[in-house]
Structures are given as C-alpha cells and as structure tokens.
Amino acid sequence: MIDKDNLIEIGKFQKTHALKGELNAVLDIPEEYVEDGNPLVIETDGIPVPYYAESIRQKGATSFLIKLEGVDSVDDASELVNSPISVPKDVLREYIGEMMFDEDLEGFNVIDGNFGEIGELEYIDSATENELMVVRTSSGDEIYIPLVEDFIVEIDDKKREIHTSLPEGLITLNSKEE
C-alpha cells in the first residue's frame, strides 16, 4: 500500500490527447524519471494508485504527452483529466539524488546576511501563488518571507540553517508599530 505522507505532487494531467489514451501533462520533474519506469501516483476514490508510462514525449518546456499502461482510450484517459500527479518522495530522492522538500526545511534557523538571526522556519505556505516561508521570531512574531531563489544564499542542512540576503525593510514589513 502507498503511504500518502510519502507522496509529493509533481504535476497534473490537463487534458486528453488523440484517441488512444494519451494525456497532456505538466511535470516539475525530468522526463527521464518517467521514462525509467518510475511510478506516477494518481488518487482514485481516495486511494493512491500507481501508474506506469508506456511512453512519454515532450510537447513544451514543462508539458508532455504521456501514454499510461492500461489507459487505452479517450474515455479511460478522460477519467484522469485534472488529476494531480504525485510520486513517492523516497523514489524521487533515490532517482534525483540528495534533495530537500519543503517540509524538510521546517525547524531550520533563518539567518539574514544584514539582519542576523531572524527565527525558526515553521512551515512553507503554498496557499498563495508565491510560496512564503513562515518564520517564528524569538519574540513569537511571524514573519513572511517570499521563497525565491534570489533571496536564498545557502541552505546548510547539516547546521539546519537557511542563509538569506533580503531586501531592506522586508523583515519589518509585518511588524507592529509601537
């Protein structure tokens, strides 16, 4: 049985393509992951079900046409349209190598090059279009920092630290005026 807590969403089936069950998908992982026979997990009736690709071909920068085993018609494929695609984190880590996921960063200390120690990363808020690091300061305040590459200098997983270079005023943006 597939552990839902071990899954990470990496894409979505957008629409059917042609008549033989191909699906147009957007993926956030290299297509080689799929080509090499790794599972794509689709939730069906609340149960995560592994699917394997018969073929995959690139259609755009992040768009692919995927033919899944056992999905042989437009009707079969249409049942998967708008379905998120997940993969097991452990399989993806093995395939891609050492990588971190958002929840792996929880509890890391956030330290800015100019400001100094900001606080501890509680979680990454993905509810908005732009992901935000929610950092709890030593005084108990929450600070929201956009999770963008330009702001991250280094992530030291051994020391459990995230080093940033933030624009002036960003840290005090949400602070309460006395």
Side-chain angles (χ1 to χ4, degrees):
M1 182 161 194
I2 296 173
D3 178 10
K4 286 184 181 183
D5 293 333
N6 185 40
L7 295 177
I8 183 166
E9 191 174 315
I10 53 86
K12 184 175 186 175
F13 287 120
Q14 295 183 311
K15 59 185 177 179
T16 60
H17 179 81
L19 302 173
K20 295 187 180 180
E22 270 188 315
L23 288 150
N24 187 348
V26 173
L27 298 177
D28 296 331
I29 58 171
E31 72 182 283
E32 292 82 16
Y33 174 89
V34 179
E35 287 174 341
D36 290 344
N38 291 298
L40 300 175
V41 180
I42 316 302
E43 197 165 303
T44 306
D45 297 326
I47 300 168
V49 178
Y51 286 84
Y52 297 89
E54 280 182 20
S55 65
I56 180 172
R57 54 193 170 114
Q58 193 152 3
K59 186 176 178 197
T62 59
S63 183
F64 299 88
L65 297 175
I66 300 175
K67 169 68 175 80
L68 298 173
E69 293 176 359
V71 178
D72 299 318
S73 69
V74 173
D75 290 338
D76 292 344
S78 64
E79 292 179 25
L80 300 175
V81 170
N82 294 321
S83 293
I85 304 167
S86 298
V87 297
K89 290 179 193 174
D90 53 348
V91 175
L92 187 60
R93 271 194 182 107
E94 235 176 74
Y95 184 81
I96 293 180
E98 220 27 63
M99 67 181 293
M100 298 186 85
F101 300 105
D102 289 352
E103 61 268 15
D104 294 336
L105 299 174
E106 292 173 6
F108 276 45
N109 286 322
V110 180
I111 302 166
D112 186 66
N114 295 317
F115 187 81
E117 188 166 333
I118 299 171
E120 184 178 303
L121 178 70
E122 285 197 324
Y123 63 95
I124 300 205
D125 184 352
S126 302
T128 61
E129 187 173 329
N130 298 313
E131 290 184 314
L132 299 170
M133 292 190 291
V134 180
V135 179
R136 177 78 56 193
T137 66
S138 59
S139 63
D141 294 329
E142 278 187 348
I143 294 178
Y144 298 91
I145 300 171
L147 184 59
V148 293
E149 244 180 82
D150 292 346
F151 293 171
I152 307 292
V153 174
E154 175 189 18
I155 298 175
D156 186 332
D157 56 325
K158 289 184 181 23
K159 291 183 180 177
R160 297 186 49 81
E161 295 176 343
I162 300 170
H163 295 270
T164 62
S165 177
L166 301 174
E168 190 174 324
L170 183 68
I171 295 171
T172 57
L173 190 64
N174 294 326
S175 65
K176 298 173 186 131
E177 292 187 34
E178 300 297 325

